[in-house]
Amino acid sequence: MTQRARSIALTVAAFALLGSGGVMVPAQTVSAQTVDPGTAGPAGAESTGTTGPPQDTAPERSASSGQATGEDLVELARLSAEAGALGEELHLARADLERADAERQRREREAGVAAGLAAVADLGASRDQSLVDRLATLRYRGGDTGATRAAVLAESPRDLVDRIGTLQRLSGATTSALGASRAASAEAARLRVEADLASEAARASARDAQRRADDLDQRSDEMRVRIDEVRRRVDALSDAQRALWAGGPLVPPGYVAPAIDGVNTAALNVALTRIGSPYSWGATGPSEFDCSGLMVWAYAQEGKTLPRSSQAQAVAGAPVAMPDIQPGDLVIYYAGATHVGMYAGDGLVLHAPTYGVPVKLEKVDAMPISGVRRY
């Protein structure tokens, strides 16, 4: 949705029946200042009261009723904007949770690999130590196995040469095996340290993912409460109030969609086919949308993947200066990037405004622009 406090200029016509005929009271206009739902507090209508004793006349009662109607819609706009802003923040939080969970899984895989390598290194160290032990047994079996004993036991010069050669080979093998055993033991110890560090990192990632999940659950509960309140109020609007809430026409007279000359204009023309589709928090089409969901859906039809939230869409893509804006560019609104629309040409933006207001075209500067991104 439009994650924003919508700029409302409400012209409330009050009628009072006097006698047998209807008398129209001059229209009264109630204005609400455009605010960023991420930072704004409650918005209220300007007071138009005057001093002096109250006069209980039908025209004044009608005017007062009109002002109350305007104030109700201003308050509803604020609640709707806050709900939409929270919805976009939840999209971002879900993406963060997915990244945290992917990091947790990666860390756990690394910990498993490190533990496996450490176990293999331990086996290698044990095997090398066993070889050292066997060689030592062969070498020292029967006491002195040096050259003197070999000379005493040799039956011939040739036998002496063979015995000395065997002793040298055993000595070299023992030294080599001992070195390999020590190296394997050191490698096993190093890998065990890495495995412990990887396990701790995996546990930290799991704790972070759980914290994000718990926070998301809590904020989702808050979101549901706000959504229910906005729905209840919008659904209770009278036909006249609903017309004021919806604003002007869905398509301004004379608008012509730009010709398709690339992916961006193709995405825009696809999005234009959704004009009149209802707004729904968290929806990405094809029949209902929130503000960022409409952007995601339109570009997906052209094979391009966009981030899910308006905040993420505000930092991805390429920045574009307002004088260089082109059809298909994303227009980011408010300092908190809580709303997004698609530039449609002719100074208009296509967007999914809020609950009770379908996808429509509006003036691109109807809300405070914080940036433009091209994908």
Side-chain angles (χ1 to χ4, degrees), residues 327-369:
D329 289 345
L330 268 55
V331 185
I332 311 299
Y333 291 100
Y334 303 102
T338 52
H339 188 59
V340 61
M342 186 181 296
Y343 186 63
D346 290 346
L348 299 172
V349 66
L350 176 71
H351 68 142
T354 185
Y355 181 71
V357 184
V359 174
K360 63 184 299 186
L361 289 165
E362 286 190 288
K363 290 291 185 181
V364 69
D365 57 357
M367 300 161 283
I369 298 172

Side-chain angles (χ1 to χ4, degrees), residues 67-101:
Q67 181 174 353
T69 297
E71 290 174 344
D72 287 345
L73 290 180
V74 168
E75 174 65 8
L76 177 55
R78 184 185 67 81
L79 293 174
S80 178
E82 289 179 353
L86 182 56
E88 291 303 310
E89 291 170 7
L90 287 178
H91 295 329
L92 190 62
R94 289 189 184 94
D96 288 343
L97 175 57
E98 290 175 359
R99 283 192 292 272
D101 194 56

Side-chain angles (χ1 to χ4, degrees), residues 177-193:
L178 183 59
S181 176
R182 289 173 177 170
S185 295
E187 178 67 4
R190 185 184 68 81
L191 289 173
R192 281 195 298 274
V193 171

Side-chain angles (χ1 to χ4, degrees), residues 28-333:
Q28 177 184 9
T29 299
V30 181
S31 300
Q33 183 180 5
T34 301
V35 294
D36 183 345
T39 58
E46 252 186 350
S47 171
T48 58
T50 58
T51 59
Q55 300 180 14
D56 186 16
T57 64
E60 289 189 4
R61 284 199 306 272
S62 298
S64 176
S65 174
Q67 181 174 353
T69 297
E71 290 174 344
D72 287 345
L73 290 180
V74 168
E75 174 65 8
L76 177 55
R78 184 185 67 81
L79 293 174
S80 178
E82 289 179 353
L86 182 56
E88 291 303 310
E89 291 170 7
L90 287 178
H91 295 329
L92 190 62
R94 289 189 184 94
D96 288 343
L97 175 57
E98 290 175 359
R99 283 192 292 272
D101 194 56
E103 177 66 10
R104 174 190 62 78
Q105 295 181 35
R106 185 183 70 81
R107 294 285 190 178
E108 288 176 349
R109 287 194 298 269
E110 287 181 349
V113 170
L117 291 174
V120 170
D122 281 333
L123 289 175
S126 298
R127 183 188 64 245
D128 291 341
Q129 186 59 50
S130 297
L131 177 59
V132 170
D133 293 342
R134 288 197 301 274
L135 290 173
T137 299
L138 288 173
R139 185 173 182 183
Y140 296 108
R141 181 179 294 160
D144 182 16
T145 56
T148 301
R149 181 174 177 79
V152 171
L153 296 177
E155 298 177 356
S156 66
R158 178 64 182 175
D159 185 31
L160 175 59
V161 172
D162 290 342
R163 284 176 179 270
I164 291 176
T166 299
L167 287 174
Q168 290 175 341
R169 287 193 298 274
L170 283 173
S171 178
T174 301
T175 301
S176 177
L178 183 59
S181 176
R182 289 173 177 170
S185 295
E187 178 67 4
R190 185 184 68 81
L191 289 173
R192 281 195 298 274
V193 171
E194 286 190 1
D196 291 341
L197 292 175
S199 295
E200 176 54 36
R203 288 191 292 271
S205 292
R207 289 192 296 269
D208 180 59
Q210 185 61 52
R211 178 184 61 78
R212 291 177 184 272
D214 293 342
D215 180 64
L216 182 59
D217 287 341
Q218 179 179 352
R219 298 178 73 192
S220 294
D221 290 341
E222 179 186 352
M223 177 69 176
R224 280 189 287 272
V225 171
R226 293 184 180 226
I227 287 175
D228 289 344
E229 174 69 8
V230 172
R231 280 177 175 159
R232 182 185 66 78
R233 293 195 181 201
V234 172
D235 292 344
L237 294 176
S238 67
D239 289 344
Q241 289 173 320
R242 190 176 296 276
L244 290 170
W245 180 247
L250 300 184
V251 180
Y255 173 75
V256 177
I260 297 176
D261 59 4
V263 173
N264 290 14
T265 49
L268 169 62
N269 276 266
V270 167
L272 288 169
T273 66
R274 302 295 95 181
I275 287 178
S277 298
Y279 176 93
S280 179
W281 288 277
T284 55
S287 57
E288 297 182 347
F289 302 90
D290 65 13
C291 69
S292 58
L294 178 59
M295 309 298 108
V296 169
W297 179 83
Y299 269 95
Q301 308 315 302
E302 300 303 318
K304 187 172 289 189
T305 301
L306 266 58
R308 178 61 185 91
S309 68
S310 59
Q311 290 92 342
Q313 291 170 1
V315 296
V320 175
M322 194 62 194
D324 300 325
I325 194 169
Q326 296 177 7
D329 289 345
L330 268 55
V331 185
I332 311 299
Y333 291 100

